[in-house]
Amino acid sequence: MNTDAVITGGGIGGLFTGAFLAKNGVRVTVLEKNRIIGGGLQCFRRGHRIFETGMHVMGGFTDNGTLTKICRYLGILDMLDLHHIDSGCMDEIRYGATGEVFRIPSGREAFVDAMSAYFPHEAEGIRSYVDELYRLSEEVSLFYLREEPEGIPVHSERFVWAADRLIAHYVGDSRLREILAYLNPLYGGVAGQTPAYIHALINVLYINGASRFVNGSQQLADALAGVIGSHGGRVLADCEVSAIAVSDRMVDYVETVRGERFTADWYISSIHPVSMFRLVPEGTFPKGFVTRITGVPDSCSAFSLFIDLKPGAFPYIDHTCYYMEDFGSIWTQAEVSGDCWPLGFMYMTPPDAGQGEFAERMLVHCIMGFDQVARWEHTSLGKRGDEYRKWKEERVAAIMRRLENLFPGFGGMVANVYAASPLTVRDYFNTRNGAIFGGRKDCENLMRSQLPVFTKVRNLLLTGQNINLHGICGVPLTAINTAEAILGRNVLLKKINDVSQSV
């Protein structure tokens, strides 16, 4: 294919889109503003420890999983060092107030059996609820890499119910309702707003099986860049786009802060649409469209700890853990501030090569609203002042106190603690208000927060987590849609499936 494309943004969306296009003959140039490519895949090093910034646990890498098929097609599956979490306990949920611990296995039947054993009086409702999750997931053809039919998809009524309404429809026990929503930290759900299909897709993805990267997720970003490079493309880091020149509804070129200009047949934006609006000339898009997209509320952000553990001090935990202070707050964690924060968090010990009995590091991820750091929103990295530093230290101490309650003596097992706030997320990932799940989906106005990959500018396409689905599985699916806007409808899906069927 005698075509070239310039992609703004070297995060998950930009890299997957670029890899798909490059493998199909498109000459690809990816421009990434950070010195490290990958967005949520990128890792950083402190001393001799590697820490992931985003992709701590993934679904979709089972034997016949969506990501397995995609990475096999791209020729990178065997390059990835993956650890598949023990199916006997995929996740663990702890409640501080009651001391209860719920261990969740992977596998559809195992999940139903385990939850029914904890709540035998809800056994029938649990099975019906899980059946409904899988049924709703079947309504999203792309989730299963099925070729998409022509026309606008028609969905069932419950597809766009609120997630909490869906759970309550099948389950009467209020405690069980909360437990069934325990994956909220992976999609930032809001009661009465988050659509049921988001809840269903995330849960089905992880019930089918969860995996981790050994030695960090940067390897996937590097592998995708390798696909692009091996097909004549390039991924340029530390190359921030400052302007997208548009005339007569066509992009003429993109320009970087250093004054370099890049031209192509196609241009793809993998950054937040609001950030893209700032790069194009005023009037490129209708005012009503800009106002609508700018007005879409952002999903929540996060405050994270990256803990360097002393050698031989803390046992390796081969599953993801979720801690809640008490029942009653699974849908409202982003609204909590002050001394009450955090009411819950996710924590895990990532695996290293040759992982033994003890962990070398721990990641702690706490949902947080951007309003908690809004007073410093005009500051930059390393220049936020003493008040911010004190606030950040207090947040670290609040989390450490809870970890000490969970694991007496934990403080003595820690060598170093590093922290990131919503401001860190905003500045590193170039996402408005540090949103970690893109724009917030609202079941009452679903079209407001959804964007097609096509734009009014004829050679400008969109990709990334703000367009459709978020996360390690959702973003590559949108990348397929974006790539097929150039390659042709269902062309890429057919090739991906053909490769998997030939194995």
Side-chain angles (χ1 to χ4, degrees):
M1 179 176 285
N2 190 25
T3 303
D4 44 28
V6 169
I7 300 174
T8 300
I12 304 174
L15 291 174
F16 266 105
T17 304
F20 289 141
L21 291 173
K23 188 173 175 64
N24 285 274
V26 178
R27 294 182 298 275
V28 172
T29 298
V30 179
L31 307 177
E32 167 55 40
K33 81 179 188 76
N34 289 333
R35 294 181 180 178
I36 302 175
I37 64 170
L41 292 172
Q42 67 179 280
C43 297
F44 66 93
R45 185 181 291 273
R46 289 291 182 272
H48 57 291
R49 297 281 188 256
I50 295 174
F51 293 99
E52 293 168 324
T53 58
M55 292 302 138
H56 313 313
V57 60
M58 303 88 60
F61 275 111
T62 53
D63 287 343
N64 202 36
T66 299
L67 281 170
T68 296
K69 292 180 178 179
I70 288 173
C71 291
R72 181 183 290 127
Y73 166 74
L74 291 173
I76 61 175
L77 183 61
D78 293 339
M79 301 179 189
L80 304 178
D81 194 353
L82 296 167
H83 170 70
H84 303 295
I85 297 173
D86 182 3
S87 61
C89 182
M90 166 183 69
D91 292 321
E92 178 182 290
I93 313 166
R94 289 179 174 267
Y95 285 87
T98 66
E100 291 174 283
V101 179
F102 300 89
R103 294 169 65 85
I104 312 298
S106 60
R108 182 171 177 172
E109 286 302 313
F111 182 90
V112 170
D113 290 344
M115 299 311 298
S116 298
Y118 287 124
F119 296 88
H121 60 290
E122 291 280 10
E124 183 178 346
I126 291 168
R127 179 166 294 280
S128 296
Y129 160 77
V130 173
D131 288 346
E132 182 69 359
L133 293 182
Y134 278 83
R135 192 196 65 74
L136 291 177
S137 76
E138 289 285 345
E139 293 190 35
V140 183
S141 297
L142 194 57
F143 186 70
Y144 293 99
L145 297 176
R146 293 196 299 261
E147 295 182 23
E148 296 194 274
E150 294 282 352
I152 299 173
V154 178
H155 294 295
S156 64
E157 177 189 358
R158 291 175 191 171
F159 189 83
V160 291
W161 276 9
D164 55 318
R165 179 186 176 189
L166 181 80
I167 297 171
H169 180 77
Y170 292 99
V171 172
D173 191 302
S174 60
R175 293 164 74 251
L176 177 56
R177 289 178 182 177
E178 286 239 340
I179 292 168
L180 293 175
Y182 81 97
L183 287 177
N184 200 346
L186 298 182
Y187 58 90
V190 177
Q193 288 191 7
T194 301
Y197 79 88
I198 296 289
H199 174 78
L201 294 178
I202 295 294
N203 276 270
V204 166
L205 195 64
Y206 287 95
I207 289 173
N208 285 343
S211 307
R212 297 173 175 177
F213 287 109
V214 177
N215 289 340
S217 53
Q218 186 71 45
Q219 57 184 288
L220 177 54
D222 294 340
L224 292 169
V227 174
I228 294 169
S230 68
H231 289 88
R234 51 187 176 164
V235 179
L236 305 179
D238 196 18
C239 196
E240 182 177 359
V241 172
S242 58
I244 300 174
V246 179
S247 62
D248 194 26
R249 293 179 60 193
M250 292 283 286
V251 176
D252 297 318
Y253 60 85
V254 298
E255 186 169 348
T256 70
V257 294
R258 291 195 290 266
E260 302 165 289
R261 290 185 177 182
F262 295 85
T263 59
D265 301 303
W266 290 94
Y267 299 83
I268 300 169
S269 174
S270 186
I271 61 177
H272 195 294
V274 175
S275 297
M276 182 195 67
F277 292 153
R278 300 190 190 106
L279 301 179
V280 299
E282 186 175 354
T284 297
F285 297 101
K287 283 187 177 180
F289 175 75
V290 173
T291 299
R292 174 171 74 86
I293 300 305
T294 303
V296 173
D298 293 304
S299 60
C300 59
S301 190
F303 190 100
S304 300
L305 295 192
F306 307 91
I307 301 174
D308 176 9
L309 296 165
K310 293 178 180 178
F314 189 85
Y316 171 72
I317 304 172
D318 192 31
H319 53 261
T320 306
C321 302
Y322 297 83
Y323 171 77
M324 295 296 298
E325 288 279 280
D326 201 353
F327 290 92
S329 59
I330 191 67
W331 298 102
T332 58
Q333 293 177 66
E335 302 170 14
V336 179
S337 61
D339 293 339
C340 295
W341 185 92
L343 292 181
F345 50 81
M346 178 183 80
Y347 63 96
M348 62 174 289
T349 54
D352 292 295
Q355 181 62 58
E357 179 183 355
F358 294 98
E360 294 188 350
R361 56 212 159 105
M362 176 184 284
L363 303 176
V364 185
H365 175 84
C366 309
I367 293 297
M368 178 179 275
F370 191 78
D371 59 301
Q372 290 204 44
V373 295
R375 71 191 106 160
W376 301 292
E377 66 179 321
H378 300 298
T379 63
S380 58
L381 211 61
K383 300 178 182 179
R384 306 206 197 277
D386 291 338
E387 184 186 10
Y388 172 76
R389 187 160 43 251
K390 180 182 177 183
W391 172 87
K392 197 172 178 181
E393 289 171 354
E394 290 171 349
R395 303 285 79 74
V396 171
I399 298 170
M400 292 298 289
R401 282 194 299 272
R402 286 161 174 80
L403 288 172
E404 186 72 26
N405 289 336
L406 280 171
F407 308 106
F410 182 76
M413 306 174 192
V414 174
N416 297 289
V417 178
Y418 312 100
S421 80
L423 291 171
T424 319
V425 177
R426 180 198 66 179
D427 293 345
Y428 270 103
F429 297 159
N430 193 26
T431 177
R432 189 177 65 171
N433 293 334
I436 53 178
F437 308 118
R440 185 192 300 171
K441 304 292 190 295
D442 187 346
C443 61
E444 295 295 330
N445 191 358
L446 202 56
M447 295 305 296
R448 183 188 181 199
S449 58
Q450 288 190 324
L451 282 170
V453 299
F454 294 96
T455 72
K456 295 291 185 181
V457 179
R458 294 190 295 273
N459 62 342
L460 176 62
L461 303 172
L462 304 178
T463 196
Q465 73 168 355
N466 292 284
I467 309 309
N468 195 348
L469 299 170
H470 73 276
I472 187 66
C473 190
V475 174
L477 297 182
T478 299
I480 290 174
N481 278 336
T482 304
E484 288 192 337
I486 297 173
L487 303 175
R489 187 180 183 86
N490 291 326
V491 167
L492 191 52
L493 284 172
K494 186 177 187 306
K495 290 184 177 183
I496 292 171
N497 287 310
D498 284 348
V499 168
S500 285
Q501 289 167 6
S502 66
V503 173

